[in-house]
Amino acid sequence: MAAKRKILIAGNWKMNGLKKDARALASGLAKKMKKTERPAFEMLICPPFPLLGLAADAIRGSGVKLGAQDCHAIERGAHTGDTSAGLLANIGCKYVIVGHSERRTDHEETDKQVRAKAGAALNAGMGAIVCIGETWAERKAGKALVVNRKQLKGSLPSGANAKNTVIAYEPVWAIGTGQVATPAQAQEVHAAIRKALIKLIGADEAAKMRILYGGSMKPGNAAELLALPDVDGGLIGGASLNVVDFWGIAAAAS
Ligand code: 13P
């Protein structure tokens, strides 16, 4: 029997919003979540660091979860401007996104660094959302599956299991472009990731591990993506910045 995986609808706010926006968005989602009896999905918001505390207050008791967009790989110390996984857990984060393609590009993060950050998130008792994805040039060259397998292998932390780790497949060419992967493209890569996971963590955990799709997911295309056999949720950027769109995506999971 196929493993039952709870859909995760995760909003990556990236570097967007001020206090008033965060308050309105987080409390708007919290209100909707509170009114939803036994939601068919888990909902997560990942605001910028300075807005985490405010968002934590706004979602308290609603079931909406809090996550961060990055963490440092080591526990504490002289790392000006960085944030430890322990502190993120301490202020209420349940997940940390690691290895987003924007961090891999902007900060030249390698698979090895991503794996270390993911490990730090697990050590702090949070879940790691490990992002992988190919560029358009890599896809055009027929290397999409190879690239994703390589990033997966290099970025997955030791001790990863279906409870503490989520994979996010985010084709770089689909992020913020409006050019969403077709259901066939998404399913092909998700299935390949799950197959690769069998080797890395064993068949049982691979069957249970959630694999999110990210890249121009909107209310209008979410239903067909979320219905795919190996798509277990979404990591959403632009459409996570307003209540109607983000809730619309979550509603497509029901
Ligand atoms: P968009 O939904 O804006 O394409 O961003 C996706 C993403 O990068 C989420 O992490």
Side-chain angles (χ1 to χ4, degrees):
M1 208 183 84
K4 254 196 154 330
R5 299 179 292 262
K6 186 146 193 180
I7 294 280
L8 174 60
I9 301 296
N12 175 8
W13 294 6
K14 308 190 179 182
M15 198 173 72
N16 291 297
L18 301 175
K19 287 202 299 190
K20 65 173 184 357
D21 310 306
R23 204 173 287 123
L25 183 47
S27 56
L29 293 169
K31 211 164 141 195
K32 284 197 172 287
M33 197 72 167
K34 273 188 190 161
K35 280 199 226 149
T36 309
E37 251 182 72
R38 269 182 267 131
F41 51 85
E42 182 182 355
M43 178 171 275
L44 173 72
I45 55 171
C46 302
F49 286 134
L51 299 175
L52 285 170
L54 180 158
D57 290 343
I59 61 176
R60 187 156 297 126
S62 71
V64 177
K65 292 181 181 161
L66 188 70
Q69 299 173 19
D70 181 45
C71 66
H72 199 277
I74 64 171
E75 267 178 51
R76 69 178 66 80
H79 297 283
T80 303
D82 280 314
T83 302
S84 72
L87 173 57
L88 294 172
N90 186 239
I91 64 163
C93 289
K94 301 294 180 211
Y95 290 93
V96 184
I97 299 170
V98 293
H100 192 282
S101 67
E102 286 149 16
R103 291 207 61 86
R104 290 178 187 263
T105 305
D106 293 355
H107 301 275
E108 297 176 357
E109 286 187 9
T110 62
D111 287 341
K112 198 169 163 213
Q113 285 166 320
V114 174
R115 164 186 268 161
K117 289 180 174 204
L122 304 197
N123 283 339
M126 294 181 291
I129 300 179
V130 179
C131 301
I132 58 174
E134 84 286 358
T135 62
W136 184 246
E138 288 163 341
R139 173 161 285 272
K140 288 264 280 185
K143 291 187 187 148
L145 299 185
V146 178
V147 167
N148 280 291
R149 277 191 213 108
K150 182 168 177 285
Q151 286 184 14
L152 179 70
K153 191 169 180 217
S155 308
L156 203 69
S158 69
N161 61 42
K163 279 210 171 76
N164 62 23
T165 303
V166 174
I167 308 301
Y169 167 55
E170 297 207 309
V172 178
W173 47 272
I175 296 176
T177 59
Q179 196 192 342
V180 65
T182 64
Q185 287 170 329
Q187 175 56 26
E188 183 190 28
V189 179
H190 281 238
I193 292 170
R194 199 172 304 287
K195 200 165 163 214
L197 283 170
I198 295 176
K199 258 201 193 148
L200 298 166
I201 55 171
D204 280 2
E205 292 302 316
K208 287 189 275 183
M209 188 169 278
R210 292 181 291 184
I211 307 173
L212 313 185
Y213 168 80
S216 297
M217 195 184 253
K218 310 277 179 221
N221 59 32
E224 60 178 0
L225 290 163
L226 295 173
L228 294 168
D230 287 294
V231 173
D232 310 309
L235 182 55
I236 298 118
S240 74
L241 296 175
N242 77 74
V243 174
V244 174
D245 284 352
F246 195 50
W247 194 262
I249 291 173
S254 319

